[in-house]
């Protein structure tokens, strides 16, 4: 029999032995990696998994062919004869989207719901005799199609007489309350960054300046949202950090390096928006917003400019494939429907995504890793290919470079590599490579920096038995929840078309090996049409349509169409260094001319057309560099017969031109002239720099 002391000693000894036993070490080691840095909230995680959702832009602008309404447009314009929100929802559903954000109120202040607080809404419009509610119909359609509903409520209101005063903030919050209480769950609220400036403001017709970081008192507005809709994520481009961030462009892509981090306070530069901030102290994920057409609102002139499937797939890889979500916009036509071309493109886009990611060649394949955490079971390499987003492969702590090999078991062809971090533990990976085993050697096939929620790399097809994810740098040990390997069908991108100053048409296919066919008579091109054999001379107005075709597969790209007005052969830019200034007539959007900075606004651009023409409008393409200087926002347009006596034929603003530097098309009543003058009154930066990528006229 053991006495009391022997008994205690024995168990103390056994306890120490157990504590020092290797099994116990294993148990300690197999604990999960420690979370690193700022982490996503439950709302941000839920939102991120939605991946793609739609915008619909619909307002009085739809009826005035404008991008931004001034706030004085008549409510009588709003009368969508065939409005069908179910068509919008169906289209988005087929495109694989998970929700729709509706422009309940755009900058003009017109409300798509019968707000109690203003007469500037559907209730005063002829539509359904003032008894309609577009937000309600949208909410019901979303419900029917299993989509979530989001709200765009413009902080800038060009109609409201109180805009700029404290009273407006109460009005804004009252409207927010209506929208967040009467239409069911709202997944996202969108506060546009355009703020203050000229407007109708209840008849004042003036310019009102506000400080968008202080005027709106975001803190209390956020508190209201959290109270009314606790599951709603906030997108805000007005200074105060929200859940989601803009990516600094509306062209449809985020930086290749994309950290879901920013600093909670302080200045946000363009680089921070585009690439995130590696050591930021707040989780602010990226949302890529772009339109299926160049503009946000519907313009009939853009019917031939709907993005093609290859373009939309590029957008997909440059948004969802780069750790962002995709917010794709559909403009609504005056009749209340999405145009059939946009609908078709969206449905084909949905199909193309399904096809590209139909078969995951890595799923359940043999996976091994250079290092596995602890006993190798809980965080083993196989967790990255087990089709379970809640499990992950992780090496030991302090192992910041490690690789994972997938053995297909037989030679396998692929061209897409998808990888996901387990982001509840933070964003950790800084750099990685994808390598294939070719003739016994590891060969790099792609490399990248950040991963985040999802990263997809695209590359020419490779055939191999083994592929390796090689993480070369990580903030702490990686946590990889999923790897997918795919062999997406190749899709041909449409060529681009330009006409130079002399009238030569130049068609450039994206892939030099494809054959280009074109037509000049407005008919649809096919492989029986004229073959492009290099630049060719043209004269007069022209409609060029073209496709690229792959000789080996016989597959063709989507069609692209460009309409050209008169050639600018005899045009001369007056009072300028003509050699340099010619950049604005060469048809090439990439070349640009800036007027010298010593000029004072208004800065004029005077062009001699060589002979009298019958004019009905003009076109201005700003510098295409992102956020480049010299982008004109306010203009006057004059014409003259003799370069002495000038007549003003049009004036106004180029709305939203900084965020979306598209070709600006302005029309006026027909007038004959030999000289034109584009007078810049203001630019995006408030200085005297004026830049032009292209300037053109529209003739009768
Ligand atoms: C921009 C706005 O000014 C545009 O009109 C559009 O609504 C877009 C989504 O955001 O900043």
């Amino acid at each position: 029999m053991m006495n009391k002391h022997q008994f205690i000693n024995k168990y103390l000894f056994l306890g120490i032995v157990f504590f020092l036993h290797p099994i116990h070490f294993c148990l300690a080691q197999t604990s999960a990696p420690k979370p690193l840095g700022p982490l996503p909230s439950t709302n941000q995680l839920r939102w991120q998994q939605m991946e793609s959702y739609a915008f619909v832009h619909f307002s009085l602008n739809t009826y005035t062919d404008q991008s931004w309404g001034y706030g004085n447009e008549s409510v009588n314009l709003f009368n969508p004869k065939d409005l069908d929100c179910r068509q919008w929802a169906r289209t988005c559903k087929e495109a694989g989207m998970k929700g729709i954000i509706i422009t309940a109120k755009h900058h003009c202040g017109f409300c798509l719901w019968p707000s109690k607080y203003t007469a500037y809404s559907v209730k005063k419009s002829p539509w359904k005799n003032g008894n309609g509610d577009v937000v309600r119909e949208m909410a019901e359609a979303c419900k029917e199609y299993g989509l979530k509903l989001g709200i765009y409520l413009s902080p800038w209101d060009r109609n409201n007489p109180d805009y700029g005063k404290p009273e407006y903030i109460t009005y804004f919050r009252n409207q927010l309350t209506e929208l967040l209480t009467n239409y069911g769950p709202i997944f996202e609220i969108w506060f546009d960054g355009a703020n203050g400036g000229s407007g109708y403001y209840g008849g004042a017709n003036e310019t009102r300046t506000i400080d968008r970081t202080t005027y709106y008192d975001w803190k209390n507005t956020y508190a209201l949202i959290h109270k009314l809709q606790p599951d709603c994520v906030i997108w805000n481009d007005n200074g105060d950090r929200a859940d989601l961030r803009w990516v600094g462009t509306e062209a449809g892509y985020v930086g290749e390096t994309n950290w879901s981090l920013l600093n909670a306070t302080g200045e946000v530069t363009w680089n921070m928006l585009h690439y995130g901030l590696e050591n930021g102290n707040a989780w602010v994920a990226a949302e890529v917003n772009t339109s299926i057409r160049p503009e946000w609102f519907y313009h009939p002139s853009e019917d031939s400019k709907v993005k093609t499937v290859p373009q939309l797939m590029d957008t997909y890889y440059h948004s969802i494939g780069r750790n962002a979500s995709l917010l794709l916009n559909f403009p609504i036509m005056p009749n209340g429907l999405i145009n059939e071309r946009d609908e078709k493109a969206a449905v084909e886009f949905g199909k193309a995504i399904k096809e590209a990611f139909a078969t995951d060649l890595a799923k359940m394949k043999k996976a091994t890793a250079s290092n596995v955490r602890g006993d190798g079971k809980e965080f083993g390499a196989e967790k990255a290919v087990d089709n379970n987003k809640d499990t992950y492969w992780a090496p030991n702590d302090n192992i910041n470079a490690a690789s994972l090999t997938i053995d297909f078991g037989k030679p396998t062809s692929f061209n897409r590599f998808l990888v996901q971090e387990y982001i509840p533990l933070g964003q950790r990976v800084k750099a990685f490579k994808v390598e294939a085993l070719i003739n016994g050697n590891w060969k790099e096939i792609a490399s990248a920096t950040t991963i985040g929620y999802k990263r997809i790399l695209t590359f020419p097809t490779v055939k191999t038995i083994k592929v390796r994810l090689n993480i070369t740098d990580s903030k702490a040990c990686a946590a990889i929840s999923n790897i997918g390997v795919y062999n997406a069908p190749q899709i041909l991108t449409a060529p681009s078309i330009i006409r130079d100053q002399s009238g030569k048409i130049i068609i450039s296919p994206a892939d030099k090996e494809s054959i280009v066919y074109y037509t000049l008579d407005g008919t649809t091109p096919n492989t029986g049409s004229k073959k492009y054999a290099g630049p060719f001379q043209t004269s007069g107005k022209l409609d060029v349509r073209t496709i690229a075709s792959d000789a080996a597969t016989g597959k063709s790209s989507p069609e692209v169409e460009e309409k050209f007005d008169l050639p600018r052969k005899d045009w001369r830019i007056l009072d300028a260094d003509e050699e340099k200034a010619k950049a604005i007539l060469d048809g090439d959007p990439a070349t640009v001319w800036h007027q010298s900075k010593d000029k004072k606004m208004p800065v004029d651009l005077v062009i001699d057309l060589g002979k009298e023409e019958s004019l009905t409008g003009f076109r201005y393409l700003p510098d295409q560099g992102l956020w480049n200087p010299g982008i004109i926002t306010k203009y006057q347009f004059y014409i003259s017969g003799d370069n002495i006596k000038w007549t003003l034929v049009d004036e106004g603003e180029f709305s939203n031109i900084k965020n979306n530097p598209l070709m600006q098309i302005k029309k006026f009543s027909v007038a004959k002239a030999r000289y034109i003058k584009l007078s810049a009154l203001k630019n995006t930066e408030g200085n005297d720099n004026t830049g032009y990528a292209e300037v053109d006229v529209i003739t009768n």
Side-chain angles (χ1 to χ4, degrees):
M1 276 298 279
M2 277 190 273
N3 66 29
K4 197 174 151 202
H5 276 112
Q6 282 170 321
F7 183 85
I8 290 173
N9 281 345
K10 181 180 171 192
Y11 281 95
L12 198 64
F13 172 71
L14 283 179
I16 291 168
V17 167
F18 174 73
F19 200 74
L20 294 175
H21 191 275
I23 286 179
H24 196 264
F25 279 133
C26 289
L27 287 177
Q29 274 288 357
T30 356
S31 61
K34 277 207 202 71
L36 180 86
L39 304 177
S41 66
T42 322
N43 282 355
Q44 286 167 321
L45 276 175
R46 191 185 323 105
W47 160 86
Q48 188 100 52
Q49 284 164 11
M50 288 175 71
E51 298 198 357
S52 85
Y53 40 90
F55 240 159
V56 287
H57 270 65
F58 190 35
S59 187
L60 291 178
N61 300 351
T62 309
Y63 298 87
T64 57
D65 210 5
Q66 283 173 301
S67 324
W68 286 355
Y70 190 71
N72 63 350
E73 293 78 13
S74 167
V75 288
N76 290 330
L77 293 171
F78 192 82
N79 199 6
K81 293 272 185 299
D82 311 310
L83 182 101
D84 182 6
C85 295
R86 299 178 68 250
Q87 184 234 6
W88 312 355
R90 197 173 58 238
T91 303
C92 297
K93 185 81 183 181
E94 288 190 37
M97 301 182 161
K98 304 290 188 312
I100 303 183
I101 302 179
I102 183 170
T103 52
K105 180 178 88 169
H106 202 254
H107 311 327
C108 70
F110 179 75
C111 301
L112 291 183
W113 82 104
S115 172
K116 263 205 310 228
Y117 304 96
T118 180
Y120 205 52
S121 84
V122 281
K123 75 180 175 208
K124 291 284 174 194
S125 77
W127 179 58
K128 296 196 169 174
N129 295 320
N131 295 315
D133 181 345
V134 187
V135 179
R136 168 94 42 229
E137 294 194 19
M138 179 81 273
E140 281 164 5
C142 279
K143 204 164 169 203
E144 181 180 338
Y145 284 88
L147 299 169
K148 296 186 181 187
L149 177 68
I151 297 286
Y152 174 120
L153 184 71
S154 171
W156 185 22
D157 188 320
R158 289 175 120 179
N159 175 266
N160 194 284
D162 287 335
Y163 183 79
K165 302 180 196 151
E167 290 84 338
Y168 174 74
I169 305 306
T170 309
Y171 172 79
F172 183 66
R173 291 204 183 122
N174 282 339
Q175 293 201 321
L176 196 55
T177 305
E178 288 183 318
L179 291 164
L180 298 185
T181 43
N182 295 330
Y183 299 95
I186 303 297
F187 83 95
E188 179 171 337
I189 183 99
W190 224 84
F191 297 131
D192 199 287
N195 265 283
S198 61
Y200 173 70
Y201 303 129
N205 284 311
E206 58 189 16
T207 298
R208 295 190 180 170
T209 321
I210 53 105
D211 177 348
R212 62 186 194 158
T213 60
T214 52
Y215 173 58
Y216 298 105
D217 176 22
W218 289 115
K219 203 164 144 269
N220 285 308
T221 301
Y222 288 2
L224 178 70
I225 299 165
H226 292 143
K227 189 178 100 203
L228 299 175
Q229 293 274 347
D231 293 344
C232 177
V233 284
I234 304 171
W235 186 99
N236 194 354
D237 189 37
N238 290 282
D240 258 46
R241 232 59 87 237
D243 297 308
L244 314 175
R245 67 171 210 269
W246 186 44
V247 295
T249 169
E250 294 177 351
Y253 60 97
V254 65
E256 274 189 71
T257 295
N258 178 16
W259 293 99
S260 292
L261 307 176
L262 278 186
N263 280 337
T265 53
E267 197 202 354
V268 183
T269 61
W270 187 84
N271 273 347
M272 293 180 198
L273 290 174
H274 204 57
Y275 304 106
L277 199 56
E278 182 175 335
N279 295 312
N281 59 20
W283 189 278
V284 187
E287 176 186 82
V288 169
N289 65 314
T290 194
S291 185
I292 196 156
R293 294 167 174 239
E295 262 282 5
W296 296 99
F297 282 93
Y298 179 76
H299 306 287
S301 62
E302 290 185 347
D303 281 353
S304 62
K305 297 272 173 257
V306 177
K307 287 181 186 159
T308 60
V309 171
Q311 286 173 314
L312 291 168
M313 284 308 287
D314 269 354
T315 303
Y316 182 90
Y317 290 119
H318 296 155
S319 55
I320 294 171
R322 288 185 182 171
N323 185 33
S325 68
L326 171 60
L327 170 53
L328 182 66
N329 176 64
F330 295 89
I332 304 301
M333 294 191 292
N335 65 0
L337 295 172
I338 293 175
N339 185 282
E340 58 183 355
R341 300 185 193 214
D342 308 48
E343 182 177 348
K344 188 164 168 271
V347 172
E348 283 174 4
F349 177 40
K351 269 199 208 131
I353 300 169
K354 272 204 190 126
E355 269 171 34
F357 300 101
T359 312
D360 179 2
L361 302 163
K363 191 167 142 193
M364 299 305 198
K365 289 286 161 14
K366 192 170 155 231
T368 47
S370 64
N371 186 291
V372 172
R373 204 172 177 77
D375 66 359
K377 286 188 192 133
E378 217 174 328
F379 303 101
E382 69 284 359
K383 304 291 180 194
V385 291
D386 66 357
N387 209 23
N388 179 350
K389 67 177 174 28
D390 298 321
T391 61
Y392 53 92
W393 159 62
N396 281 308
D397 289 339
N398 304 323
I399 301 287
N400 294 357
S403 65
L404 185 151
T405 303
I406 295 164
D407 186 345
F408 298 119
K410 58 171 197 272
T412 301
S413 296
F414 59 93
N415 51 22
R416 304 285 182 266
F417 188 89
L418 179 154
V419 54
Q420 298 187 269
E421 283 186 81
Y422 183 71
I423 56 167
L425 294 179
Q427 193 179 350
R428 307 159 81 97
V429 175
K430 288 167 75 169
F432 71 99
K433 289 179 193 164
V434 178
E435 297 160 323
L437 193 65
I438 310 275
N439 300 330
N441 296 314
W442 286 108
K443 192 172 161 265
E444 177 180 321
I445 48 179
S447 70
T449 52
T450 49
I451 297 178
Y453 169 72
K454 187 179 268 190
R455 187 73 208 253
I456 308 170
L457 301 186
T458 64
F459 40 83
T461 307
V462 265
K463 195 169 188 180
T464 178
I465 294 189
K466 288 182 185 177
V467 64
R468 180 160 90 174
L469 164 68
N470 191 351
I471 296 171
T472 52
D473 195 8
S474 180
K475 286 182 174 179
C477 71
I480 302 298
S481 69
N482 181 35
I483 293 175
V485 174
Y486 304 90
N487 197 25
Q490 298 287 4
I491 36 180
L492 275 181
T493 304
S496 65
I497 315 168
I498 63 171
R499 172 144 87 166
D500 74 5
Q501 196 188 346
S502 72
K504 262 197 206 108
I505 292 290
I506 303 159
I507 307 180
S508 316
D511 170 1
K512 299 281 168 264
E513 274 154 40
S514 48
I515 307 167
V516 171
Y517 300 91
Y518 68 93
T519 65
L520 300 177
D521 58 4
T523 56
T524 305
N526 54 41
T527 49
S529 306
K530 206 165 163 60
K531 232 188 231 173
Y532 177 73
F536 57 92
Q537 195 64 47
T538 60
S539 61
K541 292 194 177 194
L542 210 59
D543 183 356
V544 187
R545 293 177 167 210
T546 180
I547 51 165
S549 177
D550 180 39
T553 61
K555 280 191 182 168
S556 291
S557 74
E559 170 193 334
V560 67
E561 176 181 20
E562 289 294 347
K563 287 185 174 151
F564 298 97
D565 210 283
L566 299 177
R568 296 171 285 179
K569 196 154 100 344
D570 301 320
W571 288 28
R572 290 197 50 215
I573 298 157
L574 304 182
D575 198 18
D577 177 341
E578 269 198 80
E579 255 334 286
K580 289 191 180 147
K582 270 190 173 159
I584 73 179
L585 305 177
D586 64 1
D588 183 353
T591 59
V592 48
W593 179 63
H594 283 256
Q595 297 243 40
S596 76
K597 285 190 193 141
D598 51 17
K599 301 202 175 183
K600 285 268 161 287
M601 287 289 188
V603 175
D604 295 338
L605 172 78
V606 181
I607 301 177
D608 175 1
L609 308 179
K611 64 177 178 37
E612 190 182 81
E613 301 287 2
S614 197
L615 307 176
T616 59
F618 76 97
R619 306 197 296 159
Y620 162 62
L621 184 73
D623 191 329
Q624 293 296 284
L626 283 172
W627 284 20
N628 270 5
I631 296 184
I632 304 169
T633 53
K634 288 236 158 81
Y635 72 92
Q636 288 181 324
F637 195 82
Y638 296 86
I639 56 168
S640 168
D642 55 9
N643 191 19
I644 300 169
K645 204 171 141 276
W646 290 95
T647 312
L648 177 70
V649 285
D650 186 35
E651 64 184 322
E653 71 179 12
F654 298 128
S655 320
N656 202 29
I657 190 170
K658 182 176 176 185
N659 291 356
N660 204 10
L662 301 175
M663 178 73 88
Q664 307 292 311
I665 302 168
K666 297 289 176 180
K667 302 246 176 88
F668 44 79
S669 320
V670 56
K672 290 201 160 128
R674 170 169 170 170
Y675 299 88
I676 57 167
K677 177 158 78 188
L678 172 60
S679 188
L681 309 184
K682 209 172 162 209
N683 71 8
T684 43
E685 299 179 310
N687 59 27
D688 306 314
N689 188 345
T690 53
Y692 320 79
E694 289 294 304
V695 173
D696 203 352
V697 293
I698 304 165
T699 61
N700 200 5

